[in-house]
Amino acid sequence: MNRWFMTLLASLGLVLVISGCSAKKEEPAKNPKDAMYDFSNEKSFVVYGEGIAPKNTVSPAQAIALAKRAAITDGYRQLGEKLYGVKINSSETVQDAALKDSRIVAQVNALVKDAAITDAAFKDGLYSVRMEITMSARRWQELFAY
Amino acid sequence: MARTLCLLILGASQALFCSDVFWFSYKIVTANGLVVHEQKNIAPVMVPYEGKSQKLCTLELSNTQNLPKEQFLRKHFDEILPCFYQLSSHILSWNEQHLKQGSDRIELVIEPVRFTVDFKDEFATINAIR
């Protein structure tokens, strides 16, 4: 009786092992190069540019127009930061174990095409624009692969 | 006499073929979020150029006063400017933090591009020529 029981258990275990092995799917090995050239992916970059309305204008309309342009310029700068990166130069001077001087310079040099202004609002002297640019892998290759 | 005639023909042909194509370029500088400098340029193209036309936008603008195109474009520069943002906008930014003080300067340049404007009904269509 005991031997029959042990055989049954062993058979069940064997069936489980075999079924487990057969159920396991073999995933194709991912090639990093294939992922790099997958042109179907698209990614949107969204930024919010802000501009201030100047006080010494001939009319409130002119102040708003100038604030809008400053906001668009700020938005383009932020898109440039995202697409091209920021060059940072920093220097700190420590004297007698105390911070004497600190200077950080951040620079952006970018060329942005096809950015869209998707929303704009003016409130309390601050103009805010929502800007968006869609970047696909193909476009990325065209612009940056050289 | 012959030279004058040649020059006249040349001038007339230039006016005939190039008068509808214009150059556009724009530069704006902001400092700490405020516009400190703005440069708007519209000029007629002096050398004939044949390139591909790319529609930029259609605006609700009509030349009811029959102004010359260049004058009309200069007058409505602010309306047509957003059409050109989508082209090459070159950004130069300089942000400096010195102890508790900060200064921020951004330059945006829309590089020179040829364009045409076509009036139809009450709309003006801006096309870039590249």
Side-chain angles (χ1 to χ4, degrees), chain A residues 60-132:
Chain A
Q62 190 194 20
I64 294 171
L66 289 170
K68 184 182 180 184
R69 286 184 194 168
I72 291 170
T73 310
D74 184 43
Y76 269 103
R77 188 261 299 270
Q78 289 181 50
L79 285 175
E81 285 177 1
K82 283 180 187 281
L83 295 173
Y84 290 82
V86 186
K87 183 184 174 188
I88 302 280
N89 285 314
S90 171
S91 69
E92 292 191 339
T93 309
V94 178
Q95 191 177 6
D96 299 331
L99 185 67
K100 191 81 177 170
D101 186 61
S102 169
R103 194 179 292 269
I104 305 164
V105 177
Q107 291 172 79
V108 179
N109 187 354
L111 190 72
V112 180
K113 288 180 184 177
D114 290 338
I117 298 164
T118 49
D119 196 14
F122 181 70
K123 195 182 177 187
D124 300 331
L126 185 75
Y127 206 105
S128 175
V129 289
R130 183 184 188 273
M131 293 178 67
E132 194 172 341

Side-chain angles (χ1 to χ4, degrees), chain A residues 44-60:
Chain A
S44 283
F45 295 93
V46 177
V47 296
Y48 289 87
E50 289 176 336
I52 303 163
K55 286 180 179 170
N56 54 343
T57 52
V58 293
S59 69

